[in-house]
Amino acid sequence: MKKINNILFIVLILFLSSCQANKMFILVEPGRIEIDKIYSIENNSIWSQFQQKEYNFIFWTVDGYTLQRIVFFRPISDSESLYDHNSFFTQESEKRPIYNSNMNKFEIKEFFEDCILWSKRLVKIDSNNFKNYKIDNFDGITFDIEGQNELGLIYKGFVVAVVKDKKLYLAYFVAPKIEFYEKYHKEAKKMLSSIKFL
């Protein structure tokens, strides 16, 4: 048992040191922040940003990915998915959902839900409060989500999405329903409502 603990400790040290070397997390200060030269948002507090160029998303968190996160996806083109099949966070078990620029607003909502279930981020997801929404004067949609992860923890959040030049721009906020959602959802909503395309 002691040998296994030592091995796990070494693996943890190697993982943490590799994170530092690649600078996977950077501190995000308050102000108008550029995100990957795609758009900018107005931030009023301190967050940590996860960034790796090989992934098609960037996320912000305060206390950690499982406690609250805002996920910003890079533009999704035809025949692409929200999550790469080779992402560190993804366990591929079947063909991933694919985006089509001819999708209507309801199909985009279903595409998002299918991607979340496929990626195993949540094993159950429901959506409600679906409505039209403008992002930087482009017509889009927003809806609320609630779901459960593999450990049974209930999450709540919301999604904003818009199709611009046939590409899907999508971001979402999610946090555990107990405590963290109530603490951060208003701030996250304010931030995502401030999106400006670059």
Side-chain angles (χ1 to χ4, degrees), residues 11-47:
V11 169
L12 178 63
I13 293 298
L14 289 172
F15 176 76
L16 291 175
S17 64
S18 69
C19 288
Q20 289 175 347
N22 292 331
K23 295 185 179 175
M24 290 170 70
F25 283 92
I26 61 168
L27 194 65
V28 181
E29 300 282 356
R32 180 148 287 273
I33 308 297
E34 245 184 57
I35 299 177
D36 210 31
K37 298 179 182 175
I38 300 167
Y39 35 66
S40 68
I41 67 165
E42 192 67 40
N43 173 35
N44 294 321
S45 58
I46 295 174
W47 291 68

Side-chain angles (χ1 to χ4, degrees), residues 125-166:
I125 186 168
D126 293 307
S127 59
N128 58 59
N129 200 24
F130 181 91
K131 55 189 175 187
N132 291 324
Y133 186 78
K134 280 197 179 285
I135 300 175
D136 195 17
N137 287 323
F138 289 89
D139 291 329
I141 57 170
T142 186
F143 53 94
D144 296 332
I145 56 172
E146 185 167 319
Q148 181 179 318
N149 71 2
E150 289 177 330
L151 300 174
L153 187 61
I154 304 297
Y155 283 82
K156 277 188 74 173
F158 65 91
V159 178
V160 297
V162 67
V163 175
K164 176 178 171 282
D165 300 325
K166 293 195 170 183

